[in-house]
Amino acid sequence: MISRILHSNDFAADAARAILDHARKAIAERGLFRLGLTGGRSPRAIHAALIAQAAGLPWAKVQLTFGDERCVAPDHEDSNYRVAKETLIDPSGIPAGNVFRMRGEIDPETAAREYEDMLRAFAGRLGEPRYAHDLLLLGLGEDGHTASLFPGSPALDETTREVLPVIGPKPPPQRLSMTFPLINAAHHVLFLVPQADKRAIAEAAVAGDQRYPASRVHGQECTTWLLGP
Ligand code: 6PG
């Protein structure tokens, strides 16, 4: 399991290029690109760059999941799905059946189990023990959280469940999150950290600083940290 840090002076374009490289490779090798999306503010610019560079990408061979979601309606301003719908799902024309949405608007435990069951069913059809993203995008919080796995959360120690309802300090507090067993089943993980004020936390996480949940993420093949200038 390799970890590497890359620096970018053209963050959204470089992130989009990395995503497309993985997409083309996965589609060539397996006929499908399973991409996990991250939440927060960063994705908007990256999704726009992805759409701008993705000419000719067969979106029917792309599958989208969400690493986490806030427990709000899908059209709520805090919804990670809403951001993705506006900036990636609608502009790409990806078939609706290829987008696996976490239903933040229903009971959180029900939504978590529903999502976990949906991914497990798909993985089962491929003979996989659990769903294996080709590329999972993740962000990093100022406290070292990733997805909605926050410092001190009992979800950090989960070894069986793949999606859990969680409470976090970053508003809105009620969320759904993939857990490390599912996150770390990804072939590749790409952390997207454009903010300069998070560089020290990113470097500490790469060095294994257990104060930061992000330090516990290890893609099966490679974990890349793309940092801003
Ligand atoms: C969320 C995210 C979260 C986010 C980081 C970074 O739903 O809040 O998934 O993990 O990626 O907090 O967020 P920014 O990119 O907005 O700084």
Side-chain angles (χ1 to χ4, degrees):
M1 290 184 280
I2 304 163
S3 284
R4 61 182 181 162
I5 294 178
L6 303 177
H7 292 274
S8 167
N9 293 315
D10 189 2
F11 193 86
D14 287 344
R17 192 171 303 112
I19 294 166
L20 282 169
D21 287 349
H22 280 286
R24 292 187 174 110
K25 186 169 182 294
I27 290 170
E29 288 177 2
R30 293 189 274 264
L32 179 66
F33 177 50
R34 289 184 277 177
L35 175 64
L37 300 179
T38 181
R41 296 159 301 177
S42 308
R44 281 189 179 278
I46 294 164
H47 292 170
L50 189 55
I51 293 294
Q53 293 183 30
L57 186 73
W59 287 99
K61 294 182 177 181
V62 178
Q63 203 169 71
L64 299 178
T65 74
F66 290 81
D68 68 334
E69 183 56 279
R70 292 82 177 279
C71 291
V72 296
D75 60 354
H76 189 283
E77 63 178 1
D78 287 340
S79 168
N80 289 336
Y81 172 79
R82 175 177 167 174
V83 171
K85 184 176 190 308
E86 290 171 355
T87 59
L88 182 60
I89 295 168
D90 289 351
S92 68
I94 188 170
N98 290 33
V99 180
F100 291 1
R101 181 175 75 86
M102 290 181 169
R103 291 206 296 162
E105 69 275 22
I106 67 172
D107 165 65
E109 178 58 32
T110 304
R113 287 203 178 274
E114 172 187 85
Y115 205 74
E116 193 173 83
D117 291 346
M118 185 164 57
L119 294 185
R120 279 196 172 134
F122 190 89
R125 289 199 291 274
L126 295 181
E128 293 174 342
R130 60 168 46 106
Y131 190 91
H133 290 89
D134 294 291
L135 179 65
L136 179 61
L137 305 179
L138 289 173
L140 178 72
E142 286 83 357
D143 57 2
H145 79 259
T146 193
S148 283
L149 298 173
F150 292 92
S153 168
L156 299 181
D157 300 320
E158 180 58 48
T159 57
T160 305
R161 293 289 304 276
E162 296 177 342
V163 182
L164 281 176
V166 296
I167 303 286
K170 177 182 178 183
Q174 183 76 57
R175 293 153 169 257
L176 302 166
S177 184
M178 290 186 182
T179 59
F180 290 125
L182 181 54
I183 287 171
N184 288 336
H187 291 283
H188 297 269
V189 174
L190 176 60
F191 276 97
L192 300 165
V193 191
Q195 305 92 346
D197 63 356
K198 294 180 184 176
R199 178 181 296 194
I201 295 171
E203 289 167 347
V206 173
D209 189 327
Q210 292 292 307
R211 289 176 297 171
Y212 303 132
S215 68
R216 296 167 65 168
V217 172
H218 302 287
Q220 292 294 306
E221 294 175 43
C222 183
T223 303
T224 300
W225 291 73
L226 185 65
L227 307 185

